[in-house]
Amino acid sequence: MSVHASGPGPVPVSDSGSPPPPGAPAARARRFWSVRRLPAALAALVVLGAAGLLLYDVAAVRAGRPGMAWRRTLADGLADTRLDDIWVTVGAAVAAAAGIWLLVMALAPGLRKLLPMRRDADPGAPGPVRAGLTRDAAALVLRDRVLEVAGVESVRVRVGRRKASVRARSHFRALDDVRADVENVLAAAVGELGLAKPPVPSVRVVRPPRGKR
């Protein structure tokens, strides 16, 4: 997720309400889970179709009819193939890798673009409220804050789950001074985002190419 800008501009920022009083307890914020309706429906349809086809073939054989040609060919091929054959090994490895990948995808929360925000307790709230901020929105906020630093000409920001990479171009002032100011601004801006796990800023300040100065 990257955002590149060469000048200041309006940034839509959602209003999350007034902050809770100092010392208020904060509930643990967990990652958002994807509903996964479409993948679940597709997987169910594939399993249902395969099971129905196999059940029909078994019923046809029990009724005295010949089985489907593809199943007879597959059974004959498997009967003549040794377990140490290279294609059997490759097929088993691919099937195992696919199974592990499906398990990981099923157990992963998903929605990687959405960063959970702090769940600060509010005595006046009617119930627990969960809030999240997209990586693009967080990058836009950090970009605009960095552009306010004197000497910064353009900024490129990438926000991840654990790290916020900032690359700024400075057309005047010493690079060390600009970097120090950018780090101070980012430290305050990341805290103001209200994220449950604030990303660690990584700052790089460079000079623009000679032809663009």
Side-chain angles (χ1 to χ4, degrees), residues 23-134:
R28 183 179 179 182
R30 299 181 180 273
R31 290 183 58 188
F32 291 88
W33 279 79
S34 176
V35 180
R36 297 187 177 96
R37 292 191 180 95
L38 182 59
L42 292 178
L45 288 176
V46 170
V47 172
L48 181 62
L53 186 63
L54 184 60
L55 181 61
Y56 173 81
D57 189 56
V58 171
V61 172
R62 293 291 184 180
R65 297 180 180 180
M68 294 182 179
W70 66 267
R71 192 170 70 88
R72 296 198 306 268
T73 302
L74 180 62
D76 294 340
L78 291 177
D80 297 336
T81 303
R82 301 182 56 180
L83 294 179
D84 58 351
D85 187 79
I86 182 63
W87 292 111
V88 174
T89 304
V90 171
V94 171
I100 294 174
W101 180 76
L102 290 175
L103 286 176
V104 172
M105 292 296 101
L107 297 176
L111 297 179
R112 298 179 61 86
K113 295 182 180 181
L114 194 59
L115 303 174
M117 302 180 69
R118 291 193 304 266
R119 300 182 64 185
D120 298 316
D122 187 359
V129 178
R130 296 190 64 192
L133 187 67
T134 63

Side-chain angles (χ1 to χ4, degrees), residues 127-155:
V129 178
R130 296 190 64 192
L133 187 67
T134 63
R135 297 186 185 182
D136 291 341
L140 286 173
V141 174
L142 298 181
R143 180 210 67 174
D144 278 10
R145 293 298 300 272
V146 174
L147 284 174
E148 297 175 357
V149 176
V152 174
E153 180 184 34
S154 63
V155 186

Side-chain angles (χ1 to χ4, degrees), residues 15-24 118 120-123 191-192 194:
D15 185 7
S16 59
S18 58
R118 291 193 304 266
D120 298 316
D122 187 359
E192 293 172 357

